[in-house]
Amino acid sequence: MAGERRDGQLSVVARLVVGVAALPTAFIAATATATVIGVAARQSGVRPWDSLAASRVIVVLLVVVAGSVVGAAVKRAAAGSSAWRMTLPFVALLGYAVVGRFLSLGHRAEWFLGGDHVRHLLFVAEERVVGNLDYSTQPYPRAWHTLVTIIWSATGPRTDAAGLRSLIDLMSTATWCLAAVLSLATGALTVALAQRCGATSRQADLAGLAAASVMLLNPFLGNYQALGFETSYVGAIVLAVVAREVLVVDDASRVRAALVCIAALIVCAHSWQLLLPATGLAFLVVAWPVARRGGARDRLVLSVAALCGAVVTVPALLAVFTAVGVEHASDAGVVAPVPWALLGAGLLATGFVALRRPRSAPVAIALVVTVLPGLTGAWLAFRVGIPVTDYYPSKLLWHTAVLGLSPLAFVCGRGWAHLARRAPGGSARILRGAGAVVACLALAYALISPALAFMGAWSSVRGPVVVDAITSPGADNAQVVWLGDLGDDTIGRILLDFYRVPDPRRTLQSPLDVAEECTLLRAADRPTVLSNRTSAEVQSRYGCVPTVERVPVADALAGGGATS
């Protein structure tokens, strides 16, 4: 690769590429560290999230942990190991985040104000007020939320309008970057798989670019971002990281890889417990040789880390199995679309690679990790008696589709190269030229697709209207929002719960008709409506209560105006 030195040392550019490729692992390490601190704080009865100084110290610690992971990756890397092309989708997504900073908050976060994102935002606000990771009142697994909470706490937040704006800004940016990290993790996994299967560095890098680019398309980015499936992204990053560890581990790095898998298990247990079988398999494969024939020091490190990891996972597992239960999987959620064509193609490619590399244990295990989430989804559907297209099983199938992009990209690349070699001289040149044109067009389409987020394609509300309304003076007193659009009214009403944390009671998450809104107003001590309509119109609409107060929203906002 250009930029690599001939003496076997990596150039500055190559070191940067290797460091970027290590960011998914660094993310897992930092998230696991935040989770450990949150659980330890809860058990100790301290509330570090409630202290500005403590939060900032923890943020520094998380940066040191992540930096150590990146630095170790750069130190281990050798010349020829840096794959730069597969980082392009990651860089593109970060570029969109930077450009978005020039838009008003309502415009750049409009895609975020919908789906499950608003619920995740309230989890963060609640945890910040509680002061640590507490599952006694909220059983939802919250490793990702704990990381965001710590960062937000370090900014000195408040439970007021300015605090709500800052949290929307932080979480929308962090969630956008979460997708960028997943694209990077997918590309890195693909490179590792391709190299294990005999591809050259350039072929592996191109395969990684292809898989990472597909992550920018609607089935993996637009759909899941619009629906707010943040923990699904975290789970996919976990799986991609541990599958890559299985592929790249050697005797010299086995303890390090086992520690990464333990961190992944902690994050998984506090994010998506149904992915634990796949993550646990990767850990066993990586750690078993250390347990059997490792040195005394290595076995001690592994034993202590595994014991600590197991202890940290207990609160989340107890919460999900005692307060939620497996039967919760039958609860209807929003439709989680499955990219069936890519899932099927990925499974076929997985089978093809398994047949072509039957004696490669790392490849076989990585492929099992790939299909295990889908198998878990099928088992769950059978166990509970629901279709595999229901909410939880379909999300597990989505994870298999994500991991299946790696063997699919490798097989497609190998197939195209084989076809070009077998074609006659003139035809080969035509095929290569046509393939290059198609690949460039596909790459351009993938890199452009995320721009739709800022053009309203992912939006379910009018972002500027909602943001400015819910941060209007007196909005914290309202129980009902009436802005003239059902989506705006619903999301605005849900976000008003921000002002009431840590009260675990939540307003109804579904759209309400006037009669249901009247029920909320009758139950309030001071019936209040946040609206851009006149007082007379509000009183006429909500005549179900003798007196209703109106919190005004400027007319300019009703027309879609925004403040920065």
Side-chain angles (χ1 to χ4, degrees), residues 443-466:
L443 176 62
Y445 177 75
L447 296 180
I448 292 172
S449 293
L452 295 173
F454 305 102
M455 301 168 65
W458 302 359
S459 303
S460 58
V461 301
R462 296 171 295 173
V465 175
V466 172

Side-chain angles (χ1 to χ4, degrees), residues 95-105 107-108 454 564:
Y96 282 111
V98 172
V99 173
R101 304 306 302 178
F102 294 95
L103 302 175
S104 70
L105 176 60
H107 282 99
R108 69 172 174 267
F454 305 102
S564 58

Side-chain angles (χ1 to χ4, degrees), residues 325-484:
V326 176
E327 300 302 323
H328 177 67
S330 62
D331 293 351
V334 299
V335 177
V338 179
W340 292 106
L342 288 171
L343 173 62
L347 290 175
L348 289 175
T350 299
F352 178 82
V353 173
L355 292 175
R356 293 298 298 267
R357 306 287 296 186
R359 297 183 180 180
S360 176
V363 171
I365 297 301
L367 296 179
V368 172
V369 171
T370 296
V371 301
L372 203 49
L375 293 176
T376 303
W379 169 82
L380 182 66
F382 175 78
R383 167 72 173 76
V384 183
I386 57 177
V388 294
T389 54
D390 272 17
Y391 183 68
Y392 286 103
S394 64
K395 290 173 75 173
L396 290 166
L397 291 175
W398 180 86
H399 284 86
T400 287
V402 170
L403 297 183
L405 293 176
S406 296
L408 179 59
F410 167 71
V411 169
C412 288
R414 274 297 178 90
W416 182 259
H418 177 74
L419 181 63
R421 283 197 307 267
R422 295 290 298 271
S427 300
R429 286 193 294 272
I430 294 175
L431 282 174
R432 291 192 187 97
V437 171
V438 171
C440 288
L441 290 175
L443 176 62
Y445 177 75
L447 296 180
I448 292 172
S449 293
L452 295 173
F454 305 102
M455 301 168 65
W458 302 359
S459 303
S460 58
V461 301
R462 296 171 295 173
V465 175
V466 172
V467 169
D468 287 318
I470 61 176
T471 56
S472 297
D476 55 321
N477 296 318
Q479 300 87 38
V480 170
V481 176
W482 182 29
L483 300 173

Side-chain angles (χ1 to χ4, degrees), residues 27 36 72-73 86 92 142 150 153 275 297 299 368 494 498 553:
F27 167 77
V36 170
M86 66 93 177
R142 302 191 303 280
I150 294 171
S153 298
L275 298 177
R297 179 177 177 274
R299 281 188 286 182
V368 172
I494 292 172
F498 170 86
V553 178

